[in-house]
Amino acid sequence: MAASLAAAARRLRRAIRRSPAWRGPSHRPLSSEPPAAKASAVRAAFLNFFRDRHGHRLVPSASVRPRGDPSLLFVNAGMNQFKPIFLGTVDPRSEMAGFRRVANSQKCVRAGGRHNDLEDVGRDLSHHTFFEMLGNWAFGGEYFKEEACSMAWELLTQVYGIPTERLWVSYFDGDPKAGLEPDLETRDIWLSLGVPATRVLSFGPQENFWEMGNTGPCGPCTEIHYDLAGGVGAPQLVELWNLVFMQHNREADGSLQPLPQWHVDTGMGLERLVAVLQGKHSTYDTDLFSPLLHAIQQGCRAPPYLGRVGVADEGRTDTAYRVVADHIRTLSVCISDGVFPGMSGPPLVLRRILRRAVRFSMEILKAPPGFLGSLVPVVVETLGDAYPELQRNSAQISNLVLEDEAAFLASLERGRRIIDRTLRTLGPSDMFPAEVAWSLSLSGDLGLPLDMVELMLEEKGVQLDSTGLERLAQEAAQHQARQAEPVQKQGLWLDVHALGELQRQGVPPTDSSPKYNYSLRPNGSYEFGTCEAQVLQLYTEDGTAVASVGKGQRCGLLLDRTNFYAEQGGQASDRGYLVRVGQEDVLFPVARAQVCGGFILHEAVAPECLQIGDQVQLHVDKAWRLACMAKHTATHLLNWALRQTLGPGTEQQGSHLNPEQLRLDVTTQTALTPEQLRAVENTVQEAVQQDKPVYMEEVPLALTAQVPGLRCLDEVYPDPVRVVSVGVPVAHALDPASQAALQTSVELCCGTHLLRTGAVGDLVIIGDRQLSKGTTRLLAITGEQAQQARELGQNLAQEVKAATERLSQGSRDVAEALRLSKDIGRLIEAVDTSVMPQWQRRELLATLKMLQRRANTAIRKLQMGQAAKKTQELLERHLKGPLIVDTVSAESLSVLVKVVRQLCEQAPSTSVLLLSPQSMGKVLCACQVAQGAMPTFTAEAWALAVCSHMGGKAWGSRVVAQGTGSTTDLEAALSTARAYALSQL
């Protein structure tokens, strides 16, 4: 029995640590019970059980987009939305503050970041990027271990009818290093519920102690496992339910402290539970996935899904089924929650998921174009009742998936041709060139994720030059870091000689009008036109004009026309790629474009020979361009809002923007107040929410000369000049009688802009500082970044409010007051460094500094009170005389010095030296010499004599001194102090 129990324990440990995939297909049922209800009924039974039988409040699932939590890419657990409760930062006026016992089914995504199941999806029968977490919570000690275990056992065995002999449990075995005892209470609860001792196993902190993160609430957990073997042979255990008892807090120093309020946090994956109840060995065999698998087979005319894995899955058909089914669920849920495929953060992860799904569906299942979008209604049908946002946004989800699928199919096909073409030029042992792989990834919508390129090469048995790839990645990272700094002229440039030669040859300036060739589709997306051009001149890195450039050469290209926006007017340069007409498989990545005397120089790397006279087609990086357009339009709105708030004397001094943020320098009489910053943001938000049209038109420069309110900089403008007007047609804005330019944003600008303001999304000013007297620099972000900054600001505001309440309640002793002061200090640092609204940062910092002053005052009062008490005790112990040498308990040198001073005030003719033992043998020392004992007897010398005896140091004056040392023999130190004093008196 002991051996078999040990073997079972080892299997359970593996199950906990590895979360293993379930075994392959089996015709043996998991349970002798009749077939269970559908997944929707299983979900409903869970929620109804906790609501109807145990008085839980049902709360809807949070969005998969984390709210104010930059540590997460996606919501990955049911507890994420309740973090404010666990952390004690919940707004007491909020609905959440009233939660006591709640239950829900939470949408979760585990892809990217710390918890990343993306690459495992499809390879086994259990991993998912999207899953549903069933959970129940008890906050503030509403109930704890006994009730939580009893409810879980009741639900599983009585409601769901799982045979008790199929269930095993584990509990926390303690952690001597952390001073944590075994959770015998939970063990005894399970035994009292009838679980045999042979199926109650204990494990250490790795398996049965749950932590939110490096710091924060944590506690022991107990897990309920299901035996797939059903008593036939060795147990095959999979986790069903994890019950966490939050009763500790992990401090910043790694120590554990008890939480002031205990909570219960449980989580059970719906997919795995349904598999157990429906007698399936794989979550993909349940009715959560079977409609999708059927739709995939019908849409692709593929062989039926058989649930094979590994080498048994010939052609990886079943792997593709699982990938597509899982990924379309994730895409649908994320898009319905406002996370769209994009170029960074969660949108970039979603973009990878979509492209992975498209590739598996096309290459393995031979799906027709548009297939992936056709699966969205199936997802809505299976999940829409539980999550109504899927039904509301069904059309939008389908359209976005269809658009991204179509864009990627073109990219994938071209990428495959480029790879095949490159492979034909390689020898048998050659590695795939890093430059080609990198050029694919640099090309925006046309590019492929690097991991996908590596996988495609792996399938062809070709190794990628990973060393070269790392070098290119480092160079790109360095380039990105440099872009975050003030813009400097570097790289390729046409000097005066090169420009003079071009003029001598009669080469006309570059026609850059195609950069404005873009339009807004009815669905709100932008379409950017391509541009065909001729190579007029080529330059090497040192600026030498050449007739051609060779493979791998970094060069400058001068074209007769371009659709690239060259860096100017504060807007970052476009990037993208160009191809030779008739040879579209060879991409020439363009890193930047610069204006040199009317000529636009494109900085590129040539994968093959390029020469003067070649016809090329240019493609801008659409995501990069669109982000710049949003920032530029937002800059105009911000400039206008500043004038509306601060007055017409506010003038722009300069600006710069890139896809990440915008910077605006303006003239101001004084620094902006938090109220003014907030008012400016509100004015911009109003214009964004109204989704005003943005009009752009070239007009003769003379027409702009006498227009009241027209914004322009002190610089030379072209004639005709481009006018950008928000909400008002340019002709009307330029009519001096209309006064329109006083009521809206009207500027002279050559930049690229949105066609409607709504795409800005939001704007948050995240920083302001005085560059010089009368000039203020503002930093701002837009869109999703801005929304996240607002959410983070709200969370920090709640923490400040909690600190205010703690201070108002008062501190019982000096130690508690010091802890509060340190917490306020940490909060000041967090507010000072976080990306959040600047007006809110300034308000919170003002509040925190006031709190810090109050906290310090409270500390001083407590210390004075403590010192007075200890002074009285010492006076009662010592008769009046010329000397007091003694020990006293004190929490700091500050308190010890106060005690010494109060003693001397009450006994002016007495010299005093006090020692205070601390932890680890450390000793504090403070002394004061009576006025009549000087100058032969000084405090500094007295303290130095005693502290030197203890191997420490001392400092101070002739009257008062202090110091530190270390000793385990306090009596010897006191004797030294007395002997020295008597020798001097």
Side-chain angles (χ1 to χ4, degrees):
M1 170 63 74
S4 62
L5 184 57
R10 286 194 297 272
R11 292 185 182 91
L12 180 54
R13 181 175 286 107
R14 287 196 295 271
I16 293 172
R17 287 178 176 169
R18 300 177 186 173
S19 297
W22 290 8
R23 304 297 175 90
S26 171
H27 299 291
R28 179 171 45 80
L30 300 182
S31 170
S32 58
E33 297 294 314
K38 294 182 177 181
S40 57
V42 174
R43 185 193 300 112
F46 179 93
L47 299 174
N48 294 339
F49 170 82
F50 282 102
R51 180 191 61 195
D52 300 338
R53 292 199 190 184
H54 297 286
H56 285 62
R57 178 175 183 169
L58 300 186
V59 298
S61 169
S63 164
V64 296
R65 183 175 64 87
R67 296 175 180 171
D69 191 346
S71 66
L72 295 175
L73 287 171
F74 299 98
V75 165
N76 58 22
M79 53 74 59
N80 289 162
Q81 69 167 308
F82 304 117
K83 273 188 178 182
I85 298 179
F86 300 138
L87 296 171
T89 61
V90 63
D91 187 340
R93 299 165 299 179
S94 69
E95 182 183 33
M96 186 180 290
F99 289 174
R100 290 297 175 266
R101 50 175 70 193
V102 301
N104 84 341
S105 177
Q106 172 63 48
K107 300 172 293 185
C108 299
V109 174
R110 289 188 177 173
R114 181 180 177 186
H115 300 286
N116 184 11
D117 291 342
L118 178 55
E119 298 306 322
D120 292 321
V121 170
R123 297 178 180 176
D124 58 30
L125 301 176
S126 61
H127 276 95
H128 305 290
T129 52
F130 165 75
F131 64 97
E132 299 177 69
M133 181 78 81
L134 303 174
N136 63 290
W137 291 266
F139 302 118
E142 175 71 12
Y143 60 78
F144 209 52
K145 297 178 181 179
E146 183 173 3
E147 296 91 336
C149 294
S150 298
M151 292 176 191
W153 194 254
E154 178 187 3
L155 176 64
L156 293 178
T157 61
Q158 296 182 26
V159 176
Y160 289 138
I162 298 177
T164 57
E165 62 270 15
R166 305 291 288 266
L167 298 176
W168 293 58
V169 297
S170 66
Y171 68 93
F172 181 51
D173 196 26
D175 184 2
K177 293 181 179 179
L180 296 175
E181 298 293 326
D183 187 8
L184 301 182
E185 178 186 0
T186 298
R187 179 201 64 181
D188 293 342
I189 291 171
W190 288 123
L191 294 175
S192 70
L193 290 171
V195 183
T198 54
R199 297 206 302 274
V200 181
L201 306 178
S202 62
F203 294 96
Q206 183 174 348
E207 295 87 0
N208 279 97
F209 193 87
W210 187 91
E211 305 206 35
M212 182 185 297
N214 295 330
T215 60
C218 55
C221 63
T222 181
E223 296 177 336
I224 305 174
H225 294 256
Y226 181 82
D227 180 10
L228 296 173
V232 180
Q236 298 177 29
L237 301 172
V238 292
E239 178 190 335
L240 272 188
W241 206 342
N242 188 11
L243 285 61
V244 181
F245 307 121
M246 292 193 183
Q247 56 192 90
H248 305 285
N249 192 73
R250 179 72 69 181
E251 304 296 327
D253 62 2
S255 63
L256 289 172
Q257 297 295 331
L259 281 173
Q261 289 188 320
W262 291 1
H263 313 285
V264 172
D265 164 26
T266 84
M268 174 166 56
L270 174 67
E271 291 78 6
R272 184 168 290 182
L273 173 64
V274 171
V276 166
L277 296 178
Q278 293 183 358
K280 308 296 184 182
H281 269 77
S282 166
T283 53
Y284 289 95
D285 292 332
T286 67
D287 66 328
L288 285 167
F289 287 90
S290 54
L292 275 170
L293 298 177
H294 177 73
I296 292 170
Q297 183 188 8
Q298 294 296 310
C300 300
R301 303 298 180 187
Y305 175 72
L306 299 177
R308 299 165 300 181
V309 295
V311 295
D313 183 18
E314 296 182 8
R316 300 199 303 161
T317 300
D318 290 347
T319 297
Y321 266 104
R322 292 187 290 268
V323 167
V324 174
D326 170 87
H327 287 7
I328 191 59
R329 283 169 31 110
T330 304
L331 289 163
S332 299
V333 168
C334 288
I335 293 172
S336 73
D337 278 345
V339 182
F340 307 133
M343 298 301 292
S344 64
L348 178 59
V349 176
L350 204 62
R351 186 172 183 248
R352 289 183 58 203
I353 290 173
L354 187 145
R355 295 193 165 196
R356 190 170 186 258
V358 173
R359 180 167 176 262
F360 272 87
S361 66
M362 291 291 295
E363 294 194 350
I364 298 177
L365 298 175
K366 309 303 179 185
F371 164 72
L372 202 60
S374 71
L375 297 177
V376 172
V378 185
V379 177
V380 174
E381 180 67 25
T382 56
L383 297 176
D385 289 341
Y387 308 111
E389 56 273 15
L390 283 165
Q391 297 173 336
R392 292 194 301 268
N393 300 306
S394 176
Q396 181 189 29
I397 298 168
S398 296
N399 291 336
L400 277 171
V401 171
L402 285 169
E403 283 187 14
D404 277 73
E405 179 183 3
F408 180 56
L409 287 178
S411 302
L412 188 63
E413 184 60 32
R414 181 168 294 178
R416 189 184 296 110
R417 290 200 306 268
I418 292 172
I419 289 175
D420 290 342
R421 183 174 178 276
T422 304
L423 290 179
R424 288 196 294 270
T425 67
L426 300 180
S429 59
D430 289 347
M431 290 191 295
F432 193 84
E435 290 76 12
V436 178
W438 190 254
S439 70
L440 291 172
S441 72
L442 284 177
S443 52
D445 288 347
L446 186 62
L448 304 175
L450 282 174
D451 60 341
M452 184 173 290
V453 174
E454 293 176 1
L455 186 60
M456 294 169 71
L457 293 174
E458 180 183 325
E459 292 171 355
K460 295 178 178 294
V462 179
Q463 186 177 357
L464 178 61
D465 179 9
S466 57
T467 302
L469 202 61
E470 290 177 7
R471 173 179 53 79
L472 292 171
Q474 290 176 356
E475 291 176 358
Q478 293 170 357
H479 179 69
Q480 184 175 3
R482 287 193 299 270
Q483 285 211 326
E485 301 171 356
V487 179
Q488 301 175 353
K489 291 183 179 180
Q490 47 187 307
L492 298 175
W493 188 254
L494 297 182
D495 61 19
V496 64
H497 304 292
L499 291 171
E501 180 62 17
L502 289 172
Q503 292 166 359
R504 189 188 67 80
Q505 295 176 8
V507 178
T510 308
D511 174 15
S512 63
S513 59
K515 67 190 175 190
Y516 301 123
N517 182 20
Y518 55 90
S519 59
L520 186 61
R521 294 170 176 167
N523 63 1
S525 65
Y526 281 79
E527 183 174 8
F528 296 87
T530 60
C531 173
E532 289 196 4
Q534 182 181 22
V535 178
L536 299 181
Q537 189 57 269
L538 293 164
Y539 297 90
T540 61
E541 287 191 73
D542 63 3
T544 303
V546 293
S548 63
V549 292
K551 179 179 180 180
Q553 192 171 354
R554 182 167 170 260
C555 61
L557 291 84
L558 189 62
L559 310 173
D560 62 340
R561 60 200 307 265
T562 183
N563 59 348
F564 275 64
Y565 185 86
E567 185 164 340
Q568 59 182 318
Q571 179 175 329
S573 161
D574 276 341
R575 66 181 190 183
Y577 66 95
L578 59 85
V579 297
R580 278 186 298 218
V581 174
Q583 195 175 6
E584 286 76 17
D585 294 342
V586 181
L587 306 182
F588 292 74
V590 177
R592 63 190 302 193
Q594 296 186 78
V595 178
C596 308
F599 300 97
I600 295 180
L601 190 67
H602 303 74
E603 187 175 314
V605 176
E608 288 190 0
C609 178
L610 187 68
Q611 57 190 6
I612 292 175
D614 282 350
Q615 295 291 323
V616 296
Q617 189 178 70
L618 297 94
H619 302 258
V620 298
D621 183 325
K622 298 177 184 178
W624 179 279
R625 163 69 80 84
L626 187 58
C628 285
M629 288 163 54
K631 296 295 185 301
H632 207 151
T633 302
T635 302
H636 283 213
L637 293 174
L638 178 59
N639 190 16
W640 167 70
L642 284 164
R643 290 167 65 95
Q644 293 292 108
T645 303
L646 304 179
T650 305
E651 295 290 346
Q652 178 179 335
Q653 293 295 300
S655 66
H656 186 265
L657 62 98
N658 58 35
E660 297 300 322
Q661 68 176 22
L662 64 91
R663 184 193 75 215
L664 181 64
D665 299 339
V666 293
T667 57
T668 55
Q669 298 300 317
T670 59
L672 275 70
T673 65
E675 293 77 12
Q676 289 172 327
L677 288 170
R678 191 173 190 179
V680 169
E681 283 188 7
N682 291 340
T683 302
V684 174
Q685 279 186 295
E686 183 179 352
V688 171
Q689 291 167 0
Q690 291 174 356
D691 194 23
K692 295 182 177 181
V694 179
Y695 298 94
M696 289 163 279
E697 185 178 339
E698 284 191 349
V699 301
L701 184 60
L703 291 181
T704 69
Q706 304 298 325
V707 179
L710 180 68
R711 259 74 72 199
C712 58
L713 297 178
D714 184 19
E715 60 183 48
V716 178
Y717 286 95
D719 190 4
V721 65
R722 193 170 179 83
V723 178
V724 178
S725 175
V726 176
V728 177
V730 172
H732 181 62
L734 294 183
D735 182 358
S738 75
Q739 303 289 301
L742 294 172
Q743 308 301 322
T744 188
S745 171
V746 184
E747 294 195 30
L748 308 182
C749 181
C750 64
T752 57
H753 284 268
L754 298 173
L755 300 179
R756 300 194 72 90
T757 60
V760 172
D762 194 2
L763 179 139
V764 167
I765 299 170
I766 60 171
D768 73 319
R769 67 184 180 94
Q770 293 291 109
L771 291 180
S772 60
K773 185 175 178 59
T775 302
T776 297
R777 169 165 291 178
L778 301 176
L779 297 178
I781 53 178
T782 63
E784 181 75 9
Q785 289 176 300
Q787 293 172 12
Q788 292 174 358
R790 291 193 190 281
E791 292 171 359
L792 181 56
Q794 289 302 311
N795 289 344
L796 288 171
Q798 292 173 11
E799 293 190 43
V800 172
K801 185 172 183 179
T804 304
E805 292 173 354
R806 286 175 61 190
L807 186 61
S808 300
Q809 292 168 1
S811 300
R812 293 168 296 184
D813 52 37
V814 174
E816 184 178 342
L818 287 171
R819 283 196 298 272
L820 176 56
S821 179
K822 289 181 180 179
D823 289 344
I824 293 173
R826 284 192 288 267
L827 198 49
I828 287 175
E829 182 179 2
V831 171
D832 194 40
T833 58
S834 295
V835 178
M836 61 182 293
Q838 183 70 359
W839 66 265
Q840 192 172 35
R841 186 199 319 278
R842 300 246 300 265
E843 287 185 351
L844 293 182
L845 285 175
T847 300
L848 286 168
K849 288 175 182 177
M850 179 270 292
L851 293 179
Q852 190 73 278
R853 290 193 295 270
R854 287 176 54 192
N856 291 338
T857 300
I859 291 171
R860 285 194 295 271
K861 288 182 179 179
L862 288 169
Q863 288 179 339
M864 291 297 291
Q866 188 182 71
K869 181 179 178 181
K870 295 182 185 299
T871 297
Q872 195 60 39
E873 292 173 354
L874 287 167
L875 286 173
E876 292 173 358
R877 288 213 310 261
H878 292 272
L879 298 174
K880 287 188 176 181
L883 194 65
I884 294 178
V885 176
D886 206 340
T887 61
V888 65
S889 63
E891 303 200 13
S892 65
L893 264 176
S894 175
V895 173
L896 192 62
V897 170
K898 286 181 173 65
V899 176
V900 168
R901 284 180 168 169
Q902 290 189 19
L903 277 171
C904 290
E905 286 175 2
Q906 297 189 38
S909 61
T910 302
S911 296
V912 179
L913 184 143
L914 298 178
L915 299 179
S916 179
Q918 306 291 304
S919 60
M920 307 297 290
K922 184 180 179 181
V923 178
L924 306 178
C925 172
C927 64
Q928 183 170 334
V929 173
Q931 194 71 29
M934 294 185 291
T936 57
F937 186 24
T938 68
E940 186 177 20
W942 195 12
L944 183 60
V946 176
C947 291
S948 297
H949 172 81
M950 297 187 296
K953 58 182 180 179
W955 59 94
S957 66
R958 298 175 64 188
V959 180
V960 180
Q962 54 192 296
T964 61
S966 297
T967 184
T968 57
D969 190 351
L970 279 175
E971 283 302 323
L974 292 171
S975 296
T976 299
R978 293 190 191 98
Y980 181 86
L982 292 174
S983 71
Q984 300 295 315
L985 288 172

